[in-house]
């Protein structure tokens, strides 16, 4: 039972309705109360839309539009969260790259006469630099996702939320969200490593090129399995944040919600990621070229991985990365949350709980009722 008067409380996120003839949605034609569609009505009335999405199963365009509408309608909170997280993340990345990671030499990777020891050391430095930057970016993404999940879930009800309210609601689950993300990364790496292991053992045993080929093929095969698992668990983050579940329970909930809809979930998330990254690239790339032009080494520094990155390049390109993150964070997080809500509407008639939480009477008639306290 939703409790709209409780600040930050979700509209029954953690209590899926019972299935069967007596559960919500029975005899409702799949859209919450449209029994008797063929009785001369000429189709169902429009679904109620208290917020950024209509309270019914969503199409691909409606999910994407809902994410963009959340960013546009609640732009102060959404962009404030995204800007803060992106600025802090980029400052840390710039300082690390300028003060620490620039000392790691990778020029041996471009030297045909480099020894095996030099290549190994350069490869290790490159992997360390990339890994550190990835880890910092991942931490920023986790924090932004946690806060934006609360904003999007409230936007569905047409209710605004401040950054402080979003943080207070998300804070108890942030540590679990970190654990969830790192567990998913560990699962993906472990699955791929299992596929590559026979080939690696063959190389160690002296199989040479045959062992290397086996390692590559094994990695590709298990990479497909890892992708399948990541999509299957892709709704675990909103389940953890909104239902206040534990890590393993959130993985189980995601697997249940995605079951039978893997290709749809994969396609929508891939489309959203492509759109967000294309738009971000349009913004980021000009900053990178301007940064290279202003830097002492010019455009050669952009393609020469062995050269040190100057402070001018790091700062200017960092500004572009901040602006890009302000776009990618809200879109990717918003689409994931709306996909989660859509799957629960389809499977658990969540639209009934959402309509009551939004203060809408006679859900399905399109007639809004008084809001609580109004």
């Amino acid at each position: 039972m939703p409790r709209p008067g409780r600040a930050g409380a979700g509209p029954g996120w953690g209590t899926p309705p019972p299935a069967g003839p007596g559960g919500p949605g029975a005899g409702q034609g799949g859209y919450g109360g449209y029994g008797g569609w063929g009785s001369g009505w000429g189709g169902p009335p429009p679904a109620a839309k208290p917020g950024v999405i209509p309270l019914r199963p969503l199409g691909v365009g409606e999910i994407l539009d809902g994410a963009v509408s959340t960013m546009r309608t609640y732009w102060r909170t959404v962009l404030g969260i995204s800007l803060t997280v992106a600025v802090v993340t980029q400052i840390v990345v710039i300082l690390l790259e300028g003060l620490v990671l620039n000392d790691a030499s990778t020029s041996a990777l471009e030297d045909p006469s480099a020894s095996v020891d030099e290549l190994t050391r350069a490869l290790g430095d490159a992997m360390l630099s990339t890994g550190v930057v990835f880890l910092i970016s991942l931490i920023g993404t986790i924090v932004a996702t946690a806060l934006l999940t609360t904003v999007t879930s409230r936007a569905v009800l047409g209710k605004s939320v401040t950054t402080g309210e979003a943080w207070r609601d998300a804070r108890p689950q942030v540590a679990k969200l970190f654990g969830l993300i790192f567990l998913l990364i560990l699962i993906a790496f472990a699955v791929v490593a299992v596929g590559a292991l026979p080939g690696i053992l063959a190389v160690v045993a002296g199989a040479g090129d045959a062992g290397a080929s086996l390692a590559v093929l094994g990695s590709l095969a298990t990479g497909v399995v890892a992708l399948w698992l990541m999509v299957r668990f892709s709704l675990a983050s909103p389940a953890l944040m909104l239902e206040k579940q534990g890590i393993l329970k959130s993985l189980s909930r995601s697997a249940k919600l995605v079951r039978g809809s893997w290709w749809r979930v994969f396609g929508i998330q891939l489309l959203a990621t492509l759109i967000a990254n294309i738009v971000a690239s349009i913004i980021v790339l000009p900053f990178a070229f301007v940064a290279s032009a202003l830097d002492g080494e010019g455009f050669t520094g952009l393609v020469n991985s062995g050269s040190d990155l100057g402070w001018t390049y790091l700062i200017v390109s960092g500004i572009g990365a901040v602006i890009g993150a302000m776009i990618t964070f809200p879109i990717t997080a918003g689409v994931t949350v709306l996909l989660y809500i859509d799957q629960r509407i389809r499977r658990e008639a969540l639209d009934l709980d959402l309509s009551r939480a939004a203060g809408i009477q006679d859900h399905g008639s399109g007639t809004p009722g008084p809001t609580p306290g109004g």
Side-chain angles (χ1 to χ4, degrees):
M1 185 70 180
R3 290 174 288 179
R6 179 183 169 190
W13 298 112
T15 52
Q28 295 172 354
Y31 282 81
Y34 297 146
W37 283 8
S39 304
W41 288 94
K49 187 179 179 182
V52 295
I53 59 169
L55 300 183
R56 55 167 171 75
L58 305 173
V60 177
E62 290 171 324
I63 291 175
L64 295 172
D65 180 68
V68 175
S69 296
T70 300
M71 182 168 56
R72 184 175 62 246
T73 305
Y74 306 101
W75 63 270
R76 286 186 178 87
T77 302
V78 171
L79 296 185
I81 291 172
S82 302
L83 177 62
T84 301
V85 174
V87 167
V88 172
T89 301
Q90 284 302 313
I91 287 176
V92 175
V93 169
I94 289 172
L95 291 177
L96 280 175
E97 289 184 332
L99 298 175
V100 179
L101 301 181
N102 263 347
D103 294 334
S105 176
T106 60
S107 58
L109 295 176
E110 301 174 355
D111 185 2
S113 61
S115 65
V116 175
D117 289 340
E118 291 173 335
L119 288 173
T120 302
R121 189 179 305 109
L123 182 60
D125 289 342
M127 292 180 64
L128 176 63
S129 300
T130 303
V132 169
V133 173
F134 171 77
L135 181 61
I136 295 170
S137 301
L138 178 62
I139 292 173
T141 302
I142 293 172
V143 174
T145 300
L147 298 176
L148 293 173
T149 295
T150 299
V151 176
T152 305
S153 64
R154 296 284 288 273
V156 169
L157 304 177
K159 299 178 180 180
S160 61
V161 58
T162 65
T163 303
E165 290 172 339
W167 172 245
R168 284 192 297 271
D169 184 71
R171 182 174 55 189
Q173 295 295 103
V174 170
K176 292 181 181 179
L177 183 61
F178 272 92
L180 172 65
I181 300 299
F182 284 114
L183 177 60
L184 290 175
I185 293 174
L186 181 61
I187 291 173
F189 275 109
V191 170
V192 174
V194 168
L197 184 59
I200 294 174
L201 294 177
V203 171
V204 172
D209 292 341
S213 300
L214 180 61
V216 172
L217 291 175
S219 299
L220 292 176
T222 50
V224 174
V225 177
L227 174 63
W228 180 82
L229 287 173
M230 292 305 100
V231 174
R232 188 171 176 83
F233 296 142
S234 62
L235 303 184
S237 172
L240 182 142
M241 296 303 300
L242 296 176
E243 297 182 24
K244 311 302 181 185
Q245 302 281 5
I247 294 175
L248 297 181
K249 180 64 175 177
S250 299
L251 293 174
S252 175
R253 284 286 289 147
S254 177
K256 179 181 177 182
L257 292 172
V258 174
R259 186 182 301 122
S261 303
W262 190 95
W263 283 107
R264 181 174 183 272
V265 172
F266 169 70
I268 293 175
Q269 291 191 327
L270 177 62
L271 178 61
T273 301
L274 288 175
I275 292 174
N277 283 283
I278 289 173
V279 174
S281 297
I282 294 174
I283 297 172
V284 172
L285 286 177
F287 278 89
F289 282 107
V290 170
S292 299
L294 295 176
D295 194 60
E297 297 188 6
F299 289 100
T300 58
L302 186 63
V303 295
N304 187 0
S305 60
S307 62
D308 290 343
L309 299 175
W311 286 105
T312 301
Y313 177 87
L314 292 173
I315 292 173
V316 175
S317 62
I319 294 173
V322 167
I323 299 175
M326 290 174 61
I327 297 174
T328 56
F329 282 162
I331 292 179
T332 54
V335 166
T336 301
V337 174
L338 294 178
L339 257 176
Y340 161 83
I341 293 174
D342 175 56
Q343 289 300 108
R344 287 201 60 182
I345 289 175
R346 292 171 181 269
R347 296 176 181 270
E348 301 170 355
L350 182 65
D351 51 329
L352 302 180
D353 282 334
L354 292 174
S355 64
R356 287 194 292 267
I360 298 175
Q361 296 177 345
D362 300 325
H363 173 52
S365 66
T367 306
T371 56

